[in-house]
Amino acid sequence: MSTVALLTGQGAASPADFMAARQQMAFTLGFHIVLASIGIGLPALTLLAEWRALRTGDAVYAELARRWMKAAGVLFAVGAVSGTVLSFEMGTLWPGFMDKYGQVFGTAFALEGIAFFIEAIFMGVYLYGWDRLSPRAHFLTGIPVVVAGLLSASFVLTVNSWMNQPRGFKLVDGKVTDVDPLAAMFNPATPVQAVHLILASLMVCGFIVASVYAVGLLRDRKAGRDDRYNRIGFAIPFSLGAVCAPLQVIVGDWAVRFVADNQPAKFAAMEGIEHTEAGQPFRFAVFEIPNALSLMLRFDAHATLRGMDAIPAGDRPPAEVVKTSFEIMIALGMVLLALAAWWALAWWLRRRGHRDLPWRPWFLRAAALTGLMAAVAMEAGWTTTEVGRQPWIVYGVMRTEEAINPNPGLRYGLYIVLAVYTVLAAATISVLRRMRHTPPAPVAEPELETVR
């Protein structure tokens, strides 16, 4: 393709452009989703620490709240940039999708914009209000940040759930009619996907923040220090992740059953079911348990489950990608659940006199990796959801190849995005590192009140 043809828009998008558009969307979504998770969870952690500071007058809690919200402010700004890029990509990469169905789900994006502005305004008030508002008034200004963050994520999520279960419109001669935005937003997939994503976001944020302080605790042990600042800084976010982990298992089971009932191709790919048959075994990596999948899904060991052979060849997702990402998510989720169970047991034993249990070196080393594990699990889960829906951008209604921008040169956008996001990530890490400073002097207070 010549430069002239590219600049003048001659020709058409090549298969390489189509693949580049998908990779660009996957990359920017994968980048943004971690920032969005921290944006949901970190204000909640901040308010929890500030609430403890107000109740106890403890300077450690107040310092944690102040530092966490400053970090949230930086990441909020970066997330606003990456979120804006995503909104432009929806129109530039997938104009067929936006042109035809934007009228159906556009209301959700409009509401998300309102929630975003509320979140931004009150985050500014909260950050500027340190030492300028009364303690109670300052705490109250943080509540809208948490609520608006949750609403913003939920509104965006309704669009994705609609792509999985499209409702709220009719197609007449290929044209969209009888649009019902509320029916589109509250489609059958919204409840399970919203709860699943919010819990995952809280887990990602909790474990990422905790992993930072786990490294600090390991350094303390090596130096022979006992820093209460790091212990509380670890205990609050790790407890959040630990509480969400078992809840996520329950919601995950709900999500799998929903997919089995409503997206059989995705379910067959997730579970590696090649042939339709009764008494499906449960397969995970190299393990196989006869009849177990039929029993777990239908409570009948001889129930018949559809395999990939029941799906037309042109409607099948990339099965290996979906199965691998699903298994990565499950494996990492189980590791996080085991660490959460140990944390709960250690907390319970500690109250009975086993004081050092939560701070064992092996546990802290594992905890230092929980942030990475949670983030990878979220990316794997998102990959399962999105790749499992292929070849549809709107399930059963519009194929992804119908939505692509027909103009050539889309792959150059991917190159630019990769370069810009590399600089953005480096700048963000540099700013966060510069925000570090020596923690306050240890305060003699009763230990581990925060793990109650």
Side-chain angles (χ1 to χ4, degrees):
M1 182 67 61
S2 69
T3 303
V4 173
L6 172 65
L7 294 176
T8 57
Q10 296 175 7
S14 66
D17 289 325
F18 180 54
M19 183 57 66
R22 298 178 72 171
Q23 291 171 342
Q24 180 177 331
M25 202 72 199
F27 175 77
T28 49
L29 270 173
F31 187 95
H32 182 72
I33 197 171
V34 175
L35 293 172
S37 297
I38 296 175
I40 292 171
L42 200 49
L45 288 173
T46 301
L47 282 195
L48 183 58
E50 187 175 12
W51 173 72
R52 290 291 295 167
L54 290 175
R55 289 200 60 181
T56 64
D58 192 322
V60 171
Y61 288 108
E63 175 64 18
L64 284 169
R66 186 184 291 260
R67 187 175 296 191
W68 286 346
M69 204 56 173
K70 286 182 178 178
V74 172
L75 295 173
F76 179 85
V78 178
V81 173
S82 60
T84 303
V85 170
L86 278 172
S87 64
F88 280 108
E89 286 179 346
M90 294 287 286
T92 56
L93 298 179
W94 315 106
F97 170 63
M98 296 297 291
D99 181 55
K100 189 167 186 176
Y101 292 108
Q103 59 185 307
V104 181
F105 57 76
T107 301
F109 277 149
L111 293 173
E112 189 273 340
I114 294 172
F116 171 79
F117 283 123
I118 293 173
E119 184 181 8
I121 290 169
F122 278 94
M123 178 168 284
V125 172
Y126 186 90
L127 289 171
Y128 186 76
W130 283 107
D131 304 324
R132 292 181 174 85
L133 299 174
S134 69
R136 187 176 297 277
H138 182 259
F139 174 79
L140 292 176
T141 60
I143 295 176
V145 179
V146 177
V147 174
L150 289 171
L151 288 175
S152 178
S154 299
F155 288 136
V156 172
L157 195 278
T158 63
V159 177
N160 182 264
S161 62
W162 176 84
M163 293 164 70
N164 289 319
Q165 293 292 301
R167 298 288 191 280
F169 68 99
K170 292 180 180 178
L171 279 177
V172 179
D173 297 329
K175 295 184 179 179
V176 174
T177 63
D178 298 328
V179 173
D180 183 348
L182 291 180
M185 289 177 60
F186 297 101
N187 63 80
T190 293
V192 63
Q193 281 198 227
V195 178
H196 197 40
L197 179 70
I198 288 172
L199 283 175
S201 298
L202 294 176
M203 286 179 64
V204 168
C205 179
F207 286 129
I208 284 179
V209 176
S211 65
V212 174
Y213 291 92
V215 173
L217 287 167
L218 287 169
R219 289 176 177 169
D220 288 345
R221 289 183 67 90
K222 189 176 181 180
R225 294 193 299 264
D226 183 14
D227 193 336
R228 185 165 172 267
Y229 173 83
N230 280 334
R231 283 191 282 121
I232 294 178
F234 174 85
I236 296 176
F238 196 87
S239 297
L240 175 66
V243 168
C244 293
L247 298 176
Q248 187 69 305
V249 173
I250 298 172
V251 176
D253 179 72
W254 176 20
V256 169
R257 295 179 187 281
F258 182 87
V259 170
D261 292 337
N262 295 280
Q263 291 182 276
K266 181 187 291 185
F267 178 76
M270 289 163 52
E271 300 292 349
I273 305 174
E274 296 182 1
H275 305 289
T276 302
E277 60 185 15
Q280 288 282 359
F282 173 74
R283 301 183 182 90
F284 190 88
V286 297
F287 302 101
E288 181 173 323
I289 304 175
N291 298 78
L293 185 60
S294 291
L295 180 62
M296 289 190 295
L297 187 68
R298 305 298 184 201
F299 305 107
D300 178 359
H302 303 287
T304 298
L305 303 182
R306 295 177 65 183
M308 294 298 284
D309 61 351
I311 311 297
D315 293 346
R316 298 175 188 172
E320 281 303 317
V321 175
V322 178
K323 185 175 188 296
T324 302
S325 59
F326 181 65
E327 290 184 345
I328 289 173
M329 179 187 68
I330 296 297
L332 292 176
M334 290 299 104
V335 173
L336 294 174
L337 180 64
L339 291 173
W342 167 259
W343 177 248
L345 176 64
W347 170 77
W348 182 75
L349 291 175
R350 180 183 173 82
R351 294 175 65 88
R352 283 153 178 79
H354 301 272
R355 301 181 63 80
D356 292 332
L357 278 176
W359 315 118
R360 294 283 177 85
W362 72 264
F363 173 73
L364 293 177
R365 292 190 189 99
L369 298 174
T370 54
L372 177 62
M373 289 191 286
V376 172
M378 169 171 269
E379 300 286 2
W382 196 249
T383 300
T384 303
T385 298
E386 294 302 290
V387 178
R389 192 185 57 244
Q390 300 304 316
W392 307 98
I393 191 169
V394 182
Y395 184 67
V397 176
M398 172 181 266
R399 291 179 180 272
T400 307
E401 61 190 15
E402 299 176 56
I404 188 69
N405 187 328
N407 293 307
L410 298 182
R411 56 188 179 281
Y412 298 108
L414 172 62
Y415 306 150
I416 294 172
V417 162
L418 289 174
V420 171
Y421 274 55
T422 299
V423 174
L424 185 62
T428 303
I429 293 171
S430 175
V431 170
L432 292 176
R433 287 175 62 86
R434 288 174 182 274
M435 290 174 62
R436 292 191 309 173
H437 59 80
T438 304
V443 179
E445 292 285 344
E447 298 179 348
L448 272 185
E449 291 177 331
T450 54
V451 296
R452 291 175 182 171

